[in-house]
């Protein structure tokens, strides 16, 4: 029976602290509202204890595909929690979504899913080198463990690597100061707004999200669903 890994618990805690967890049946209406507001959507699912997340992830894929929202949506596949991450990722790609794989580097690399992006937590061992190795594709940079100046510096180092390369980074940040730094680095490297994106949790800095979209930036809002309902 599947159990929650440490990273799953961390994602749930962060979603509850910094964003909102919604019911799966509410995802489509919420995603449509976000797309209407000019945002892209990131789909994540936090399983209940003992739940295999693959069916819920595939259900999300089917829901947004049926609603003609797939091109605006990106699915996060937690490879350490899903029994067949490649199959789930392939189904999402076939449905027209983009995909990012999250989890320990060795497990992510073992999936071998062409076209999928990779989530890299800043500050974890080898994060900067991993960003450099993957920067030609799609990397979603997320905050790593820890808080404070050292964690921010680790994040900015990885950010600098990604912005200087030719790939399509997603910068997951909800600190206004780091949002400003990301914009500065993008401008310094001559990046157009469609060559990178800011990734922010649903329900956090809503006015800032609207300001960024109005300014022409690409913003992806992550919507975290759970079988347990709205929090």
């Amino acid at each position: 029976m599947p159990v929650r890994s440490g990273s799953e618990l961390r994602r749930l805690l962060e979603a509850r602290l910094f964003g909102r967890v919604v019911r799966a049946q509410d995802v489509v209406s919420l995603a449509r509202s976000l797309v209407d507001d000019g945002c892209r959507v990131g789909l994540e699912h936090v399983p209940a204890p003992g739940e295999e997340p693959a069916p819920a992830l595939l259900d999300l894929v089917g829901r947004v595909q049926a609603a003609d929202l797939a091109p605006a949506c990106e699915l996060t596949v937690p490879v350490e929690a899903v029994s067949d991450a490649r199959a789930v990722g392939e189904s999402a790609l076939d449905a027209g979504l983009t995909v990012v794989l999250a989890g320990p580097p060795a497990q992510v690399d073992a999936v071998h899913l062409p076209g999928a992006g990779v989530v890299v937590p800043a500050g974890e061992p080898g994060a900067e080198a991993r960003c450099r190795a993957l920067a030609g594709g799609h990397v979603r940079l997320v905050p790593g463990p820890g808080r404070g100046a050292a964690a921010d510096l680790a994040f900015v180092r990885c950010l600098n690597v990604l912005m200087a390369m030719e790939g399509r980074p997603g910068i997951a940040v909800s600190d206004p100061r780091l949002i400003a730094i990301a914009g500065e680095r993008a401008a310094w490297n001559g990046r157009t707004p469609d060559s990178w994106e800011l990734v922010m949790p649903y329900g956090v800095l809503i006015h800032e999200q609207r300001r960024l979209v109005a300014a022409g930036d690409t913003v992806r809002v992550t919507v975290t669903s759970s079988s347990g309902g709205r929090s």
Side-chain angles (χ1 to χ4, degrees):
M1 177 178 294
V3 297
R4 286 186 178 179
S5 67
S7 61
E8 285 180 87
L9 291 171
R10 185 167 63 249
R11 283 199 307 275
L12 178 57
L13 177 60
E14 289 176 350
R16 292 188 182 280
L17 287 175
F18 305 117
R20 300 178 187 174
V21 178
V22 304
R23 298 175 301 178
Q25 55 266 42
D26 295 329
V27 166
V28 167
S29 60
L30 178 54
R32 189 179 302 282
S33 176
L34 290 168
V35 170
D36 289 345
D37 287 342
C39 297
R40 297 178 183 177
V41 180
L43 301 176
E44 301 182 351
H45 180 76
V46 178
E51 177 189 359
E52 159 62 53
L57 292 171
L58 292 172
D59 178 65
L60 291 175
V61 170
R63 288 174 185 267
V64 297
Q65 182 185 31
D68 294 325
L69 293 170
C73 294
E74 181 167 86
L75 182 72
T76 299
V77 179
V79 299
E80 61 186 328
V82 178
S83 57
D84 193 344
R86 182 183 177 94
V88 172
E90 286 178 337
S91 295
L93 290 170
D94 289 345
L97 292 80
T98 53
V99 171
V100 287
L101 305 175
Q107 289 182 250
V108 167
D109 294 344
V111 174
H112 299 300
L113 183 60
V118 174
V119 175
V120 176
E124 291 197 345
E128 191 173 344
R130 187 157 175 79
C131 284
R132 187 169 288 107
L134 298 171
H138 177 38
V139 174
R140 183 188 292 181
L141 179 66
V142 302
R147 295 286 186 270
D152 289 350
L153 180 59
F155 190 92
V156 172
R157 284 175 175 166
C158 290
L159 171 66
N160 289 339
V161 170
L162 294 173
M163 287 297 191
M165 303 292 280
E166 296 297 323
R168 184 174 59 85
I171 310 302
V173 62
S174 53
D175 180 332
R177 186 173 59 86
L178 293 177
I179 291 171
I181 291 173
E184 292 168 1
R185 297 300 192 271
W188 177 263
N189 287 281
R191 282 189 167 272
T192 58
D194 61 349
S195 71
W196 70 288
E197 63 185 24
L198 285 160
V199 184
M200 304 172 70
Y202 168 62
V204 173
L205 295 179
I206 296 173
H207 294 297
E208 179 69 2
Q209 292 175 14
R210 292 172 179 165
R211 183 192 69 78
L212 290 163
V213 170
D217 292 307
T218 302
V219 176
R220 187 178 301 277
V221 178
T222 54
V223 176
T224 302
S225 67
S226 173
S227 302
R230 188 183 296 269
S231 65

